[in-house]
Amino acid sequence: MDESGTEPRTDQADETGYPQHWEADVLLRDGGAARIRPITPADAERLVEFYDQVSDQSKYFRFFAPYPRLSDKDVRRFTHHDYVNRVGLAAVVRDGIIATVRYDRIDKDGRPSTTGTDAEVAFLVQDAHQGRGVASALLEHIAAVAQERGIRRFTAEVLPENRKMVKVFTDAGYTQHRSFADGVVHLEFDLEPTAASLAVMRGREHRAEARSVQRLLTPRSVAVVGVSRSPLSVGRGLLRSLAGFRGELYAVNRSAPEGTVLDGVATHRSLLDIPGPVDLALIAVPEPAVPAAVADCGAHGVQGLVVVTAGYAETGPEGRDRQRALVRQARAAGMRVVGPNAFGLVSTDPERPLNASLAPVLPARGPFGVFCQSGAIGVALLEAAHRRGLGVSSFASVGNRADVSGNDLLQYWEEDAATEVVLMYMESFGNPRKFTRIARRLAASKPVVVVKGARHTGSLPPGHAVQPAASRLKDATVDALFEQAGVVRVETITDLFDTGELLAGQPLPAGDRVAVVGNSDSLGLLTYDACLGSGLRPRSPVDLTTAATGENFRIALDTALGDPAVDAVIAVAIPPIGVQGAPEPERELPEDEPEIAAALLDAGVRARELGKPLLLAHLALGGLAERLRSGRIPSFPAPERAVRALAHAVHYAQWRERSAEAERTARIPELEGIDEGRARALVEEALSSRQGVAARTQPGGARITLPEGDAEALLACYGIAVRPVLAAPDEESAVRAAARLGYPVALKATADHLRHRPDLGSVRLDLTGEEGLRRAFRELDALLGGAAQARPVVQELAPRGVDTVIGATVDPAVGAILSFGLAGAPAELLGDVAHRLVPATDRDVAGLIREVRAAPLLFGWRGADPVDTGALEELLLRVSRLVDDLPEVASVDLEPVVVAPQGLAVLGAVVRIAPLPVRTDLGPRAMSSL
């Protein structure tokens, strides 16, 4: 489909060499959408129409002279490109061009060239669209195109009074040089992305996406398209939900007689008949009628759509094609789409309340931003919040999330002062790498609590558009993403609200030391045990007995909060003995309950002053929990729930502290002995081999396992030495190998079913002479079915130490992941492996080796000598640097790595490479096209 939502024009689609992959949808500064694509000869008429709407001043700035109209020669020059040395891009909205950019390759003297690495670039933006960030978006895309075509530097000539265009270049963050001559500003800037240019790009992305969500949640006018006269229809349900909307509200029913009023709202037969502007349209028509409804919305200037209609990607491949067409059609008209198959949007802003959803009642105002994909889960989340008396700032249930996604909502909630805590139920990732980047920035100031569905099955809900790699994300990888991003992962919706309520209402704990105070010894002990099980450090419970009064609670809580050795306090309470027999609706509150509530509320004030969280775990005291709500003291009807919430808060607080410390002190050390140039040459040589060329033809690029010698040479470029291994197909070969390496040696089998399995007798160590080696070879030969099957090798003996495993794998969805664990079946069976994203800092690798449960073995467990963790950390940094420098390296596996009290030895290594993947997160801003 083209920008108008119709089938593509054949003159464009069939044009030889047309670079389809340069097309992209982008968000502009005000949150509106535009499409960036190459200019073609078919754009001649559009270009003339565009130029006619540009002011004389803007034309003067572009051509340095009065230029009232384009000649036929100009039109041909600006619409005919070879897409190599001459390229033009257009920003298009509603099938009309709103801005253009063009580059022409030049040589060092500024003359047209086919081989130069410089290009002259120029922009023209329609005056009505200046200030929307169109030129900045075009600059990002034309720079990426130029780099793809071998251009390394742009030059531009700008009149000094054209301050807006000068600012576009200077604000982009590229390394640049500026000069002034003959009344013209001459700019030169390198196109290689820099930290500054990436920061600028991501800052613009953040502001544009946040603004686009804000426009959806704060419309001045709303239309419901598909309002049936049946009161049970979806459209009527949406219309009733909007009853409290304070802006202009319209209903659309193409069959309604003129003058029809439904639920107090005047009905129009077409959205185009509505006399005023419409900011948001809710689409509830049958799927076949959706394209026409979207076309009307685009023609009327609607800014956003909530499509509740089903029948799209969740139904299969044909439905996915219809879903893509829907999104493309909407974006071409500058609109964003929530859905399809969406439950809707909610905002509790008191100035502009909005219930554009199927929820019958607008939730209460509160601190939570809530996101989910499934409508059923959306109902459950809103019901849970209502039942617990919790409010939301905004809510989004986006269905198939073909356009607006959780990443967009995160961008908005970072800016939204009313949102204190983000709660998300995620069933899939569209762009995990971007999620991690945004969530990490947000979590530094606001907690992000997530339930990730399909933890064990890994299944993908029907209709969810994801990158192919993202659909195969292992749960351990998801954990690594969440851990590094500071995301609090919980297991259930109950835990989601338990943890969110604590984080919203209480200070973050400074540590993991917990005081337990209450009127039940048994409940206190249960709480104490739960704390130990969750990795907290509880003090012995203080039992006030069941006869405790409010004053007893007040004194005990004051004492616990004032103790500098306490970071958090859990109060436990049960009803006074003898009052719990009557059913809850009939019995009156015990006399002492108000006193206990008052004591807890007073303690809550002091707890905030001291920066210590206060929680209540109770049994059969729902009334007490209600009383504490005014003080934002979270109450839990089971001690395990209170402790789980507190443990999550402690872990999050520790992450915030580590993250802030890392910002100040973490670094990627400079490592000696690295030859990146030689390493690149080795990789390019391997990829140019027959096997490498064949790999390029495979979908996504096949992985190539380097021969042992090539792998060792590549690792050596990064200062990683692998102990040499010599094949020993027979006894005499083993003797010769040992003589070459020097005694003592090890003899081991390398057959796939025996590799790293010393428990099967496949390894013989401490062979100090020929006689012992011969005896060991015969034993191995007899035990394992012969040398041909066992494939024995001889290796120089490594020092005694702890066997570990180091790996790095490039996941196409999230990037490179560094892994560490101890070698052996127990670690494999228990999944005792820790992960970090690459590039890893010195603090990352220090935490990595301490995170595994078997880490005490590295630090002198049971009187053993501690091993050289410094050498281990350096090796991890070298592996991280290798995969970060060389994106063609798909995986590195070092096993075993024997870490001794002094130094370490890498005994085995496997390296796999693949054709260079596309690094989408480093490219220009673009909306998802899944």
Side-chain angles (χ1 to χ4, degrees):
M1 295 173 65
D2 70 7
E3 288 71 22
S4 63
T6 58
E7 290 302 311
R9 297 179 297 275
T10 55
D11 57 356
Q12 174 175 311
D14 296 339
E15 203 163 51
T16 303
Y18 178 79
Q20 189 82 28
H21 64 289
W22 291 353
E23 295 186 356
D25 295 317
V26 298
L27 281 176
L28 304 178
R29 183 177 300 150
D30 60 1
R35 186 160 186 80
I36 292 177
R37 61 167 176 78
I39 297 174
T40 74
D43 288 314
E45 185 177 339
R46 292 182 186 83
L47 188 69
V48 172
E49 293 174 356
F50 155 73
Y51 195 77
D52 286 345
Q53 296 179 58
V54 175
S55 71
D56 290 341
Q57 183 186 52
S58 293
K59 293 173 182 175
Y60 184 87
F61 285 160
R62 169 65 176 85
F63 295 104
F64 297 5
Y67 216 93
R69 62 186 58 85
L70 296 175
S71 66
D72 291 343
K73 182 178 179 181
D74 292 329
V75 172
R76 178 174 177 79
R77 180 162 63 95
F78 291 142
T79 57
H80 286 69
H81 306 94
D82 61 8
Y83 303 124
V84 178
N85 304 309
R86 301 185 321 281
V87 173
L89 300 180
V92 179
V93 175
R94 298 188 183 92
D95 204 34
I97 295 174
I98 64 170
T100 64
V101 63
R102 172 188 173 91
Y103 81 65
D104 292 272
R105 191 188 298 264
I106 57 176
D107 61 18
K108 62 182 180 179
D109 298 318
R111 295 178 299 222
S113 170
T114 59
T115 59
T117 58
D118 289 4
E120 186 174 10
V121 65
F123 295 80
L124 186 59
V125 180
Q126 230 172 58
D127 294 65
H129 296 278
Q130 291 177 11
R132 299 184 68 198
V134 185
S136 298
L138 282 171
L139 177 57
E140 291 175 19
H141 283 263
I142 197 72
V145 166
Q147 282 192 291
E148 182 181 322
R149 297 310 195 201
I151 291 170
R152 298 292 173 258
R153 184 172 60 176
F154 273 164
T155 67
E157 305 279 345
V158 185
L159 291 174
E161 54 267 43
N162 190 359
R163 296 182 182 87
K164 290 182 180 179
M165 189 51 61
V166 172
K167 185 174 174 59
V168 167
F169 291 122
T170 56
D171 287 353
Y174 294 105
T175 301
Q176 62 176 261
H177 309 279
R178 183 192 300 200
S179 60
F180 182 79
D182 300 326
V184 174
V185 177
H186 181 78
L187 296 168
E188 296 180 354
F189 49 97
D190 299 329
L191 299 183
E192 184 68 25
T194 65
S197 68
L198 288 174
V200 168
M201 180 179 68
R202 288 171 178 170
R204 289 170 174 164
E205 172 193 70
H206 165 67
R207 290 188 292 273
E209 292 179 357
R211 175 59 181 150
S212 74
V213 174
Q214 183 187 40
R215 296 206 313 179
L216 291 168
L217 289 170
T218 58
R220 293 161 298 180
S221 51
V222 177
V224 181
V225 182
V227 179
S228 167
R229 279 175 284 186
S230 168
L232 301 179
S233 67
V234 171
R236 287 290 294 277
L238 290 170
L239 193 63
R240 287 192 296 270
S241 295
L242 287 161
F245 180 64
R246 297 178 185 174
E248 297 295 328
L249 182 59
Y250 305 101
V252 177
N253 180 334
R254 64 177 184 174
S255 302
E258 187 174 348
T260 299
V261 176
L262 296 174
D263 294 318
V265 179
T267 302
H268 302 267
R269 300 193 67 176
S270 167
L271 190 136
L272 296 175
D273 295 336
I274 296 174
V278 175
D279 294 334
L280 180 68
L282 279 56
I283 307 296
V285 298
E287 183 275 321
V290 169
V294 173
D296 286 349
C297 291
H300 198 69
V302 173
Q303 295 179 352
L305 307 174
V306 175
V307 181
V308 300
T309 304
Y312 288 90
E314 75 277 9
T315 65
E318 292 183 1
R320 185 173 298 281
D321 289 342
R322 293 193 297 271
Q323 182 167 295
R324 289 173 175 153
L326 164 66
V327 173
R328 185 178 176 93
Q329 181 187 8
R331 288 178 179 172
M335 299 181 292
R336 297 218 68 182
V337 178
V338 176
N341 196 23
F343 186 74
L345 299 174
V346 169
S347 171
T348 61
D349 183 345
E351 299 298 321
R352 290 187 182 180
L354 174 73
N355 185 7
S357 78
L358 294 169
V361 179
L362 183 71
R365 182 71 165 167
F368 300 109
V370 181
F371 171 86
C372 67
Q373 292 153 263
S374 159
I377 295 295
V379 172
L381 291 173
L382 291 177
E383 191 277 332
H386 175 73
R387 178 167 32 86
R388 299 171 65 133
L390 303 176
V392 305
S393 59
S394 49
F395 164 88
S397 179
V398 299
N400 294 1
R401 61 148 181 72
D403 180 19
V404 174
S405 70
N407 289 343
D408 296 295
L409 272 297
L410 289 177
Q411 301 275 37
Y412 169 73
W413 282 322
E414 184 177 359
E415 300 294 322
D416 182 36
T419 300
E420 300 174 17
V421 177
V422 172
L423 306 179
M424 307 182 79
Y425 186 97
M426 300 185 67
E427 297 170 84
S428 63
F429 288 98
N431 187 338
R433 191 194 299 259
K434 182 176 178 180
F435 171 84
T436 305
R437 170 167 52 84
I438 299 171
R440 179 169 189 149
R441 189 182 65 234
L442 174 57
S445 58
K446 298 179 181 182
V448 180
V449 188
V450 174
V451 176
K452 172 65 173 67
R455 177 166 201 151
H456 300 292
T457 65
S459 60
L460 190 68
H464 286 212
V466 300
Q467 301 172 11
S471 66
R472 300 188 298 271
L473 275 181
K474 296 180 179 179
D475 198 63
T477 303
V478 174
D479 273 337
L481 288 177
F482 286 168
E483 175 66 29
Q484 286 205 256
V487 171
V488 180
R489 182 172 189 173
V490 298
E491 297 296 323
T492 66
I493 291 177
T494 298
D495 288 341
L496 185 74
F497 281 101
D498 284 349
T499 305
E501 185 176 5
L502 173 59
L503 291 170
Q506 294 293 307
L508 288 177
D512 58 2
R513 301 167 300 177
V514 183
V516 181
V517 176
N519 64 356
S520 169
D521 182 50
S522 298
L523 196 57
L525 289 173
L526 285 172
T527 306
Y528 177 88
D529 289 343
C531 286
L532 290 175
S534 296
L536 303 177
R537 292 187 292 164
R539 302 177 62 180
S540 296
V542 175
D543 179 24
L544 304 178
T545 77
T546 57
T549 64
E551 186 62 22
N552 297 141
F553 267 91
R554 191 184 309 276
I555 294 171
L557 291 171
D558 189 64
T559 301
L561 288 168
D563 189 337
V566 170
D567 302 308
V569 176
I570 300 178
V572 298
I574 63 172
I577 298 300
V579 301
Q580 64 269 54
E584 178 69 27
E586 298 177 9
R587 74 175 177 90
E588 296 183 359
L589 293 175
E591 183 178 347
D592 283 340
E593 190 179 58
E595 295 182 14
I596 295 174
L600 284 165
L601 289 170
D602 290 345
V605 174
R606 182 149 191 256
R608 283 191 182 81
E609 294 172 351
L610 296 172
K612 299 181 179 183
L614 173 65
L615 305 75
L616 171 68
H618 68 89
L619 295 180
L621 284 176
L624 178 59
E626 289 287 335
R627 292 177 184 274
L628 297 182
R629 192 163 291 153
S630 63
R632 299 185 74 176
I633 298 174
S635 304
F636 305 94
E640 297 82 6
R641 285 174 53 182
V643 170
R644 278 199 303 270
L646 179 59
H648 287 310
V650 168
H651 187 75
Y652 172 64
Q654 291 171 341
W655 177 86
R656 290 245 315 230
E657 184 178 355
R658 290 195 307 269
S659 181
E661 180 69 17
E663 289 288 333
R664 297 189 296 268
T665 63
R667 62 190 182 91
I668 300 176
E670 288 296 325
L671 301 169
E672 297 180 355
I674 291 181
D675 188 347
E676 183 180 340
R678 171 63 178 155
R680 289 188 182 280
L682 290 172
V683 170
E684 290 172 4
E685 182 180 348
L687 288 174
S688 62
S689 67
R690 180 180 300 177
Q691 188 180 11
V693 172
R696 295 178 189 275
T697 65
Q698 301 297 317
R703 294 188 174 191
I704 306 166
T705 300
L706 293 181
E708 285 187 9
D710 293 349
E712 291 171 6
L714 179 62
L715 292 168
C717 293
Y718 281 80
I720 302 170
V722 182
R723 294 287 175 107
V725 174
L726 298 178
D730 53 54
E731 186 175 323
E732 296 304 320
S733 298
V735 172
R736 288 193 298 272
R740 179 178 171 185
L741 295 173
Y743 289 97
V745 296
L747 179 70
K748 55 186 181 181
T750 61
D752 290 342
H753 66 290
L754 298 171
R755 185 181 291 270
H756 310 309
R757 292 297 307 275
D759 55 307
L760 298 179
S762 61
V763 178
R764 297 291 189 275
L765 303 176
D766 294 321
L767 303 177
T768 58
E770 181 177 333
E771 181 181 350
L773 175 61
R774 288 183 181 277
R775 182 169 57 252
F777 189 94
R778 293 172 193 144
E779 291 173 355
L780 211 66
D781 187 73
L783 178 66
L784 302 177
Q789 183 173 342
R791 290 165 40 196
V793 298
V794 176
Q795 188 171 46
E796 179 185 350
L797 189 68
R800 295 285 185 178
V802 178
D803 289 2
T804 65
V805 180
I806 291 174
T809 302
V810 176
D811 189 306
V814 300
I817 299 172
L818 185 67
S819 304
F820 171 78
L822 270 63
E828 294 177 14
L829 288 171
L830 298 174
D832 191 18
V833 180
H835 308 274
R836 291 292 185 276
L837 298 181
V838 169
T841 67
D842 52 356
R843 294 178 67 92
D844 286 332
V845 297
L848 187 65
I849 66 174
R850 290 163 174 81
E851 188 173 305
V852 295
R853 295 192 294 276
L857 293 173
L858 303 171
F859 297 95
W861 188 61
R862 287 189 173 179
D865 292 331
V867 302
D868 192 346
T869 53
L872 181 59
E873 291 172 12
E874 181 180 326
L875 177 58
L876 285 161
L877 286 168
R878 289 182 181 277
V879 173
S880 170
R881 171 77 181 272
L882 185 155
V883 296
D884 192 45
D885 285 349
L886 307 172
E888 299 91 346
V889 174
S891 67
V892 175
D893 294 297
L894 306 181
E895 183 182 3
V897 177
V898 181
V899 191
Q902 294 292 327
L904 54 75
V906 180
L907 303 187
V910 177
V911 178
R912 297 178 179 86
I913 62 173
L916 183 65
V918 177
R919 294 294 301 275
T920 55
D921 205 44
L922 298 181
R925 285 174 287 158
M927 300 164 75
S928 171
S929 59
L930 295 171

